Amino acid sequence: MPNVLIGISIFALSAVLLPGATVIYSNFGPAMSFTPYGWYITGSNPATPVGAGAPIQNQTVAMAFTSTGNYNLGDIQLALGLQSGTNLVNVYLESDSGGLPGAVLESMSLTGLTAFMYPGTGGGSVLGADSTTHPQLLAGDQYWVVVQAGASDTVAEWNEVDNGDRTTGTNQALNYHDSATGPWTASNQCCRSVFEVDAATSSPSVPQPSAAALLITGAILCCARTQSPCSPAAFARRSRRSRCTLPPNAGASENREFRSE
């Protein structure tokens, strides 16, 4: 009987979706390389002026990708750096809506950004945002990775590619409202930021077991191993210059597109 219960427990745990199996999309260079330049990610009250001495505010950046198969999201890896302010950014996976980011499918947060110096010296490092809800991505569908400042004083940079992945006007978008959901403006300026989208290790067709089911299985296993009732206590546990262009319909005090170069 204990052996049977052990087998049930192992099967239940094996169905849990974990990060890191198949690469769904990546625009990193060899060995996860990237440039020391990037797109600014800023809050409503950035801690230091950025780019040509002009403070920018509320810039949120989005990059598109197409899923190469039917997968559940495991994690998103990005190269990011912190210039000043609170060390926190929010990362979102979003659907596509008419060629721009649409509904939020998952939200994650990242801290521990390394220094991104300005001007001229660059910086940034690769960080991974692990999925907790594992939304499904469908083959051939376009999705968006969105990075937003995590606090009003955050000034971060999302490093750019070193492999010629250019913007086309349909694969990059910006908004200037410190918002994960826009309104968005399509961008065709220069290079895209680097990211990798990884699938969860478990097959998309295998449902994730509920926490309650795993707890019950564990309780049965514990009782079988000890051959005695289990107590409740047993289960407690680019910085060369800045570009500033006004997109269509931009107001005089907002909607400025900034990247470091």
Side-chain angles (χ1 to χ4, degrees):
M1 179 64 174
N3 290 337
V4 174
L5 293 172
I6 290 172
I8 293 173
S9 180
I10 291 174
F11 172 81
L13 291 173
S14 69
V16 176
L17 296 172
L18 300 173
T22 301
V23 175
I24 301 172
Y25 175 87
S26 179
N27 63 354
F28 278 97
M32 303 290 282
S33 63
F34 50 87
T35 72
Y37 315 115
W39 284 93
Y40 289 118
I41 309 295
T42 58
S44 61
N45 185 30
T48 58
V50 179
I56 61 173
Q57 299 175 336
N58 301 323
Q59 181 160 283
T60 301
V61 180
M63 302 288 163
F65 71 97
T66 299
S67 181
T68 55
N70 296 328
Y71 299 106
N72 287 91
L73 178 65
D75 63 77
I76 300 174
Q77 299 190 59
L78 315 93
L80 297 161
L82 182 73
Q83 187 177 121
S84 59
T86 302
N87 196 320
L88 178 67
V89 296
N90 300 320
V91 179
Y92 303 88
L93 174 70
E94 301 191 13
S95 64
D96 182 85
S97 178
L100 292 170
V104 173
L105 303 179
E106 175 145 29
S107 59
M108 298 158 279
S109 295
L110 282 175
T111 60
L113 281 67
T114 58
F116 197 113
M117 305 304 293
Y118 176 85
T121 57
S125 60
V126 178
L127 297 171
D130 292 338
S131 171
T132 57
T133 62
H134 307 289
Q136 189 173 42
L137 285 69
L138 301 179
D141 283 2
Q142 179 163 286
Y143 299 89
W144 294 80
V145 173
V146 176
V147 180
Q148 174 196 33
S152 63
D153 64 344
T154 298
V155 180
E157 299 237 9
W158 186 1
N159 293 74
E160 291 178 352
V161 300
D162 61 0
N163 57 14
D165 182 12
R166 312 287 291 189
T167 57
T168 63
T170 61
N171 61 359
Q172 178 173 285
L174 310 173
N175 83 59
Y176 312 92
H177 304 275
D178 191 22
S179 168
T181 56
W184 295 97
T185 299
S187 171
N188 61 359
Q189 283 205 17
C190 192
C191 308
R192 303 213 308 149
S193 291
V194 291
F195 63 101
E196 177 176 303
V197 181
D198 298 321
T201 56
S202 181
S203 167
S205 63
V206 178
Q208 184 175 358
S210 67
L214 292 177
L215 182 61
I216 293 170
T217 302
I220 296 172
L221 176 60
C222 175
C223 293
R225 292 180 61 187
T226 59
Q227 296 183 356
S228 63
C230 296
S231 67
F235 302 103
R237 197 198 147 11
R238 189 171 236 299
S239 296
R240 294 197 294 265
R241 69 182 186 279
S242 291
R243 297 184 180 181
C244 176
T245 61
L246 292 175
N249 304 318
S253 62
E254 64 170 4
N255 288 3
R256 293 175 299 198
E257 187 171 300
F258 283 84
R259 55 184 290 279
S260 67
E261 350 174 277

